[in-house]
Amino acid sequence: MKTFLLLLLVVSIISCTNYEELKPEDYTCFTLPAIAQDHPRADEFQNFVNAKVREGLPGLNMMVRTNDGRAWFGAAGKADIHNNITLSPCHRMIIASVSKIATAAAVFKLVDAGKIDINNKLSDYLSGEYMDKIENAKEVTIEQLLDHTSGLFDYLNPTKWELTSINEPYKSESPAEKLKFAYGKSPDHAPGETYAYSNTNYVLLGLLVEKVSGQTLATFLAEQIFIPLGLNSVFVGDEQTHLRNGTPKGYLDIHGNETLIESEFWYHYDLATGDGGIITTMYDLGIFIEELLAGNVISSASLATMKDDFELPEDWKGFYHERNGHGFEIYETPYGTAYGHTGAVYGFLTIAWHFPDSGVTIIHSINGVSDKIFDIREQLTDDLMKMVFEE
């Protein structure tokens, strides 16, 4: 019955959708270094992106750094299907949960400043209704939030969240509004007992950064991380008007028949908090992860803790995701260990991996979500790794 009501609401919204008439100049294009075309394999990589889009992707935006240290970036497909606007590597993409790396880095910035101890309980820093009404919130440690061993209920799970997001299209929820969906819900397990991925953890970590720093998460990330690295395309915050002023459209298969519709009305809800609020070019995302893993963002001790890992439960199923760190997901691939994260929101799928041993970086974002696109994404990643590592 809940699923039926959800579909009725979605169909109602789709029937009332008025597509905006936009031009290419309406999509913000950020300055990128003139290095992509200089890469000796530029044509090969661009042909790869073109071929993958022909398989059924609305658009694909990609950045690669090969083991010779040289970077390439490119894109293909559409930023806006209705207006026939071509996707460009200078366009920002919504990276969803890949944002968790930045939120974790912000926490460790405050660790380095002596303002947070990850062994302390969250309740040593935060108080309020959400701490009282989310079961075990007062018992979990900062470390357990970082590595997803808190057991806290994931606010994204209930159908009620989806119904609410469709009832109020284009709304951007505050952290407190999101956390209400976890009120009174039973934890997945006792704190520290095992691993269970929960977006609630990183909403709370975003609030922690704000409370301890005295700044918004967006301001702290910009001033402490992104601006010092010279990354001018990165945006995170609770003001979402930029989505409707320059960011490519995301697309979703609502009906299960691989017919994609614009899903901007839906994905506003899943942004703007510490669990997935960043929008950026693929090039800037690559630079951020590379600089972080090179030790140029947080201290060596904090970086070691972010990378400190453990094996995931046997019943966990993730694409090469066999171990987890404290902000990083860790992938055991046929070509070595990669540190990074994946991201998914109602309209965008992103993978961001860096292989420290070889210096290779693989990042790609698709502005569409469907069963077929999920399959293409995994094969795309395998094919790209093979092309990069087995040249």
Side-chain angles (χ1 to χ4, degrees):
M1 185 62 175
K2 287 182 179 179
T3 302
F4 176 71
L5 289 173
L6 177 62
L7 289 173
L8 279 180
L9 284 167
V10 171
V11 170
S12 175
I13 293 224
I14 294 169
S15 65
C16 297
T17 298
N18 292 315
Y19 291 104
E20 296 177 280
E21 299 303 319
L22 298 171
K23 299 177 181 178
E25 55 266 30
D26 293 319
Y27 284 83
T28 306
C29 191
F30 289 84
T31 302
L32 295 173
I35 58 174
Q37 288 70 39
D38 293 335
H39 197 288
R41 303 177 68 188
D43 290 344
E44 182 184 358
F45 287 133
Q46 187 61 56
N47 289 337
F48 175 86
V49 173
N50 296 343
K52 289 301 177 181
V53 168
R54 288 196 295 271
E55 290 182 18
L57 305 180
L60 172 61
N61 205 335
M62 195 169 87
M63 181 268 200
V64 175
R65 190 179 302 279
T66 47
N67 56 14
D68 59 2
R70 304 181 71 166
W72 178 89
F73 47 81
K78 298 301 178 182
D80 182 331
I81 294 173
H82 172 74
N83 291 296
N84 195 31
I85 295 172
T86 300
L87 183 65
S88 167
C90 67
H91 289 147
R92 294 185 296 195
M93 306 290 276
I94 297 172
I95 66 171
S97 285
V98 180
S99 307
K100 289 181 173 69
I101 300 174
T103 300
V107 170
F108 282 104
K109 273 284 190 183
L110 293 167
V111 170
D112 291 340
K115 296 182 178 181
I116 289 177
D117 184 332
I118 66 169
N119 296 307
N120 288 350
K121 291 182 178 180
L122 179 65
S123 56
D124 291 339
Y125 306 93
L126 295 182
S127 61
E129 182 181 61
Y130 51 85
M131 294 296 291
D132 295 329
K133 294 188 176 182
I134 298 176
E135 192 169 342
N136 284 354
K138 292 183 178 180
E139 304 304 318
V140 299
T141 66
I142 309 304
E143 181 178 16
Q144 290 163 352
L145 296 172
L146 286 164
D147 66 12
H148 293 291
T149 61
S150 72
L152 297 184
F153 181 83
D154 188 348
Y155 79 88
L156 277 178
N157 281 337
T159 304
K160 183 179 179 182
W161 179 88
E162 295 178 325
L163 289 170
T164 304
S165 64
I166 293 170
N167 273 326
E168 298 182 65
Y170 298 104
K171 180 183 176 184
S172 178
E173 282 196 324
S174 68
E177 288 176 308
K178 286 186 173 183
L179 292 174
K180 285 183 179 179
F181 292 103
Y183 286 5
K185 303 294 185 180
S186 298
D188 287 324
H189 56 77
E193 184 176 83
T194 187
Y195 172 91
Y197 189 90
S198 174
N199 289 281
T200 301
N201 293 329
Y202 275 75
V203 175
L204 290 169
L205 287 172
L207 289 171
L208 172 68
V209 171
E210 294 187 339
K211 178 63 180 296
V212 174
S213 71
Q215 298 178 301
T216 66
L217 178 62
T219 299
F220 186 86
L221 285 170
E223 292 184 357
Q224 297 295 320
I225 296 176
F226 301 134
I227 292 174
L229 291 175
L231 309 180
N232 68 346
S233 76
V234 187
F235 186 96
V236 59
D238 57 8
E239 175 52 62
Q240 295 296 322
T241 56
H242 62 285
L243 284 178
R244 310 194 80 184
N245 292 283
T247 299
K249 303 292 186 183
Y251 296 90
L252 182 65
D253 173 22
I254 292 287
H255 303 290
N257 62 0
E258 296 300 326
T259 299
L260 300 176
I261 67 157
E262 285 186 16
S263 53
E264 185 178 339
F265 71 89
W266 202 343
Y267 55 69
H268 268 256
Y269 259 74
D270 204 15
L271 302 172
T273 48
D275 58 324
I278 290 178
I279 299 172
T280 180
T281 63
M282 296 300 93
Y283 180 76
D284 277 1
L285 177 57
I287 295 299
F288 163 63
I289 292 177
E290 290 170 352
E291 291 293 311
L292 177 60
L293 283 162
N296 297 326
V297 176
I298 56 179
S299 70
S300 58
S302 286
L303 179 59
T305 303
M306 271 194 82
K307 294 170 65 177
D308 187 31
D309 65 320
F310 57 91
E311 290 188 7
L312 297 178
E314 290 185 1
D315 60 351
W316 170 258
K317 294 181 180 179
F319 183 57
Y320 293 121
H321 181 200
E322 298 179 7
R323 294 183 291 139
N324 213 68
H326 297 76
F328 285 120
E329 292 182 339
I330 301 171
Y331 305 86
E332 295 303 333
T333 79
Y335 304 97
T337 301
Y339 292 83
H341 217 286
T342 60
V345 69
Y346 294 112
F348 290 83
L349 296 174
T350 303
I351 284 180
W353 293 354
H354 179 67
F355 297 75
D357 289 346
S358 62
V360 167
T361 300
I362 289 175
I363 294 178
H364 54 78
S365 187
I366 301 165
N367 61 332
V369 176
S370 71
D371 288 343
K372 177 181 178 181
I373 291 173
F374 268 111
D375 291 340
I376 293 173
R377 180 180 75 156
E378 293 196 0
Q379 188 61 54
L380 183 164
T381 307
D382 279 334
D383 292 346
L384 181 58
M385 285 194 292
K386 183 175 181 179
M387 185 168 69
V388 171
F389 284 98
E390 297 182 13
E391 60 176 319

